[in-house]
C-alpha cells in the first residue's frame, strides 16, 4: 500500500525504491517475487503509461 501512496503523492523515486527494496527482500528471504498484478502495476508506472 505504501508504493501507490508515495507514487500518487508525487514521490515517484521513493515509490520505486520501496518497490525495488521490498521485491529484493522477498526474493532473498522467501524466494517469492511480486504478483502478476504488482508487476503490471509497476511496469505501468515506470514506462509512463500509469
Amino acid at each position: 500500500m505504501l508504493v501507490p501512496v508515495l507514487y500518487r503523492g508525487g514521490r515517484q523515486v521513493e515509490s520505486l525504491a520501496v518497490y525495488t527494496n521490498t521485491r529484493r527482500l522477498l526474493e532473498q528471504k522467501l524466494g517469492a517475487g511480486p504478483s502478476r498484478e504488482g508487476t503490471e502495476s509497476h511496469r505501468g508506472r515506470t514506462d509512463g503509461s500509469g
Side-chain angles (χ1 to χ4, degrees), residues 20-39:
T20 301
N21 291 337
T22 302
R23 179 179 179 162
R24 186 176 299 128
L25 180 65
L26 288 172
E27 287 174 346
Q28 289 174 351
K29 300 292 183 181
L30 303 176
S35 67
R36 182 174 165 192
E37 179 184 89
T39 300

Side-chain angles (χ1 to χ4, degrees), residues 4-25:
V5 170
L6 288 170
Y7 184 85
R8 290 184 195 125
R11 297 165 65 180
Q12 289 83 7
V13 173
E14 287 179 77
S15 172
L16 180 58
V18 169
Y19 175 87
T20 301
N21 291 337
T22 302
R23 179 179 179 162
R24 186 176 299 128
L25 180 65

Side-chain angles (χ1 to χ4, degrees), residues 7 19 36-50:
Y7 184 85
Y19 175 87
R36 182 174 165 192
E37 179 184 89
T39 300
E40 290 171 359
S41 176
H42 169 69
R43 193 172 293 135
R45 286 174 178 24
T46 57
D47 70 8
S49 64

